[in-house]
Amino acid sequence: HALRTRTSGGRQFAQFHVLVDPAMPVADAHRISQAVEQALLEEFPGLEIMILLDPADRRHPPITPEPAARPAP
């Protein structure tokens, strides 16, 4: 949530918050942010990214990834 983007000169910037389970170990939350950053960089090479990790709560539950689709047999 709280996505903010901007361009300065020829550079593009994105900043946003990722909600994680408050009981999640910091190392696990960091791995999530790295995976999100890598996925964005694959789509937007050169993007400057700032990800802020926030603890989820009842009003803002964490987003859980859907299981990956299985390839057709």
Side-chain angles (χ1 to χ4, degrees), residues 67-73:
R70 293 185 178 156

Side-chain angles (χ1 to χ4, degrees), residues 1-2 16 19 21 24 32 41 43-46 55 58 66 70:
H1 74 271
F16 55 94
L19 299 168
D21 182 334
M24 179 179 287
I32 289 171
L41 288 173
E43 293 293 322
F44 306 98
R58 271 192 227 146
E66 294 182 21
R70 293 185 178 156

Side-chain angles (χ1 to χ4, degrees), residues 19-66:
L19 299 168
V20 297
D21 182 334
M24 179 179 287
V26 172
D28 291 347
H30 183 68
R31 278 191 287 279
I32 289 171
S33 69
Q34 286 179 319
V36 169
E37 182 175 4
Q38 185 60 39
L40 284 169
L41 288 173
E42 288 174 10
E43 293 293 322
F44 306 98
L47 180 65
E48 295 284 334
I49 302 168
M50 178 181 285
I51 300 173
L52 304 162
L53 297 171
D54 287 340
D57 58 29
R58 271 192 227 146
R59 292 182 329 156
H60 301 100
I63 297 173
T64 55
E66 294 182 21

